[in-house]
Each structure stands twice: as C-alpha cells, then as structure tokens.
C-alpha cells in the first residue's frame, strides 16, 4: 500500500467565522524522491477549526486509491477529532458529554473520505510547516 503524507495549514486563526486562505501539500515518495502537490484555497465564512477541516477534506478528495496516510496538522482540534472520529460515529455524532459534535457536516465528510485508508495524525513540526504557513498568511 502506497504511503501519502498530507500537510495542512490555515490562515484563519479566530474562533469567530471569517475568511482567509488555507493550504495543503500531498507528498508521495517515488523512486526519484518525494513528489508533491500543493494547493491553496480561499475559505469563506469559517472558524479556525472549520477551515482546518475543509482544507483537510480538499486534500483527501485528491486521493484516487486507498493508501496509508499520515496527516500533519497544526490543529489540535483536528488531531483530537480524528482520534475520536469513529467513536462519534458509533455514538450518533454525539460527544462523550452527549452534546452534538461541532462541525458535524465536515466531520461526516472526513469520516467518509478516510474510510478504507490506514491513517495516523500528528501535530509535530515538519519540514514544510514554515513554508506552508507563509503561503496561507501572505494572502490575507
């Protein structure tokens, strides 16, 4: 199974809905070294958490076959949510406190897009972080 790294960042940093730029890098190792695809997008009317989910889902939509994934995100919200994803599904998209999961529509899409992939998530620093951060903040 091929391995893909997904790196994401969002220029939207507020818990209040706003607009800004978010981006991702897809990285696949080839015989000639890493091959990357980079994309930035304008995210409208979204909180920081929702913008991170939207850009992750855009990246996941680019995958054409099942693979093993490592998702690299700056967002502790996304990392924690991915860890809880299947538990939320089993609980009818309710948190452990019995409240509705925030950003449910985006999480439903994430769950569907991750289905069949082997995946892990990390918030650790990576080689693309500074560059990706500059790409999503220079357009604001």
């Amino acid at each position: 199974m091929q391995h893909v790294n997904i790196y994401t960042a969002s220029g939207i940093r507020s818990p209040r809905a706003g607009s800004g730029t978010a981006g991702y890098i897809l990285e696949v190792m080839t015989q000639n070294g890493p091959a990357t695809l980079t994309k930035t997008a304008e995210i409208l009317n979204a909180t920081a958490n929702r913008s991170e989910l939207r850009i992750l889902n855009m990246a996941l939509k680019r995958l054409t076959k099942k693979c093993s994934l490592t998702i690299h995100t700056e967002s502790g919200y996304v990392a924690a949510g991915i860890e809880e994803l299947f538990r939320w599904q089993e609980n009818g998209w309710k948190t452990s406190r019995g409240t509705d999961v925030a950003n449910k529509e985006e999480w439903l899409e994430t769950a569907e897009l991750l289905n069949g992939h082997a995946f892990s998530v990390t918030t650790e620093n990576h080689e693309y972080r500074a560059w990706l951060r500059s790409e999503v903040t220079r357009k604001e």
Side-chain angles (χ1 to χ4, degrees):
M1 184 178 279
Q2 189 170 35
H3 185 80
V4 176
N5 288 305
I6 298 175
Y7 303 89
T8 65
S10 174
I12 299 173
R13 304 306 251 175
S14 175
R16 293 184 183 204
S19 298
T21 303
Y24 66 80
I25 299 171
L26 292 177
E27 177 187 62
V28 178
M29 293 308 290
T30 69
Q31 293 175 347
N32 299 324
T36 60
L37 171 72
T38 303
K39 174 83 172 156
T40 59
E42 186 70 18
I43 306 291
L44 304 175
N45 195 31
T47 63
N49 291 340
R50 184 169 282 168
S51 70
E52 291 279 355
L53 282 168
R54 285 184 183 169
I55 202 67
L56 173 60
N57 289 342
M58 285 181 202
L60 290 169
K61 286 177 185 175
R62 297 298 304 231
L63 302 175
T64 58
K65 57 185 172 183
K66 299 303 177 193
C67 56
S68 69
L69 298 169
T70 302
I71 299 166
H72 302 264
T73 180
E74 296 178 320
S75 172
Y77 172 78
V78 169
I82 288 173
E83 298 292 331
E84 293 292 321
L85 197 60
F86 297 108
R87 189 179 350 247
W88 287 340
Q89 281 182 302
E90 291 172 1
N91 293 336
W93 295 97
K94 301 283 185 188
T95 67
S96 59
R97 294 184 174 140
T99 60
D100 288 336
V101 170
N103 301 308
K104 179 180 173 181
E105 291 162 13
E106 284 81 5
W107 283 118
L108 283 165
E109 184 176 23
T110 303
E112 181 180 324
L113 292 167
L114 285 173
N115 188 33
H117 295 286
F119 60 89
S120 63
V121 63
T122 181
T123 58
E124 293 178 10
N125 201 9
H126 55 77
E127 63 188 292
Y128 296 115
R129 181 163 282 171
W131 180 84
L132 191 53
R133 168 86 5 242
S134 72
E135 288 295 300
V136 300
T137 57
R138 72 181 173 94
K139 296 178 180 175
E140 291 182 347

